[in-house]
Amino acid sequence: MPQKPRSIHPDDAQDERLAALDLETAFTYAYLPTVLDDEGRAKDAPAVLNGFLWPLRADAHPTAAMERDLAALDEAGLVCRYEVAGRPYLHDPRWKTRHKLVRPTPSTLPPCPEHEKSFDEVVTETVGRIAEGVTAAVEVAGSRIDQKRISDSLARLVEDVTYLVDPEKAVVNGQKVRKMFQRKNGEVEDTGPEPGALAGETE
């Protein structure tokens, strides 16, 4: 369990999503940071959480009430419940903006695949969407020269952005962008996704 101080964010009192929920659910949300780790995550175990958050009121607030609270908070977008390898977890999607911890302890729980994507994952998805859009537009124009020029420009953009985070991966990531376009054009054999869309994902 986390030992570092937790506080209630002053904006919570004006949060319309929280105000729309009943008081028990609002109290659960207020108590929840005390059981989240330093990255805002916890195992999604209603019985265990209820024991920590409502220890002296277990009769009035049983496990079923905690399950109801978590479901309502998830539906309101105040918490996110997710699964990794078939195991349930939850986290506060706004944790980093709500809590500024000094020397936080890294979480031992897996990150949320929806809200906590790595830099490489975000770049990969963004580049993939851009590549598909650019390819479609160029195909309409019917100019492969323009497509090569655009793919080179996009690759250089990815190299520049990656260089700011990890210079050693910049060139490799640029080459992967060019390959994306080549596959779409049938210039190289598509043997399936490479292990890691961008350099470093498997490290």
Side-chain angles (χ1 to χ4, degrees):
M1 298 299 296
Q3 300 298 321
K4 298 180 180 179
R6 298 292 194 262
S7 60
I8 296 176
H9 198 282
D11 289 346
D12 287 349
Q14 286 79 40
D15 193 315
E16 295 182 356
R17 296 173 301 173
L18 192 57
L21 303 175
D22 61 71
L23 288 177
E24 281 191 3
T25 304
F27 272 116
T28 292
Y29 182 69
Y31 298 153
L32 194 60
T34 64
V35 295
L36 300 182
D37 64 22
D38 286 356
E39 293 189 48
R41 304 173 196 154
K43 293 180 180 180
D44 190 347
V48 175
L49 294 175
N50 202 60
F52 280 114
L53 302 185
W54 296 88
L56 304 181
R57 300 188 182 186
D59 291 339
H61 193 276
T63 299
M66 174 58 70
E67 174 59 44
R68 180 206 66 206
D69 292 349
L70 294 177
L73 291 171
D74 182 44
E75 184 177 355
L78 294 167
V79 302
C80 173
R81 307 176 84 179
Y82 63 100
E83 286 190 4
V84 174
R87 296 179 180 240
Y89 303 93
L90 60 83
H91 78 114
D92 179 351
R94 302 181 298 164
W95 180 260
K96 291 183 179 179
T97 62
R98 291 166 53 80
H99 299 276
K100 304 296 183 183
L101 303 180
V102 178
R103 294 188 294 277
T105 301
S107 178
T108 59
L109 303 178
C112 170
E114 178 181 354
H115 297 107
E116 301 179 286
K117 295 177 181 177
S118 68
F119 173 80
D120 279 353
E121 289 173 327
V122 172
V123 171
T124 298
E125 290 185 4
T126 302
V127 167
R129 288 194 296 267
I130 293 175
E132 290 177 1
V134 170
T135 299
V138 171
E139 285 176 352
V140 172
S143 173
R144 295 181 67 83
I145 296 177
D146 288 345
Q147 184 165 358
K148 184 178 185 307
R149 185 180 304 160
I150 293 172
S151 67
D152 287 341
S153 297
L154 182 58
R156 284 195 296 270
L157 175 62
V158 170
E159 289 170 351
D160 291 342
V161 172
T162 306
Y163 186 85
L164 298 175
V165 180
D166 191 337
E168 294 182 0
K169 299 177 185 176
V171 174
V172 175
N173 286 348
Q175 292 173 344
K176 289 183 179 293
V177 172
R178 292 183 178 91
K179 283 186 178 181
M180 286 183 190
F181 280 89
Q182 291 173 350
R183 285 197 184 100
K184 291 179 184 298
N185 295 333
E187 297 174 9
V188 296
E189 182 180 355
D190 190 350
T191 57
E194 298 182 12
L198 290 181
E201 288 188 25
T202 57
E203 293 178 359

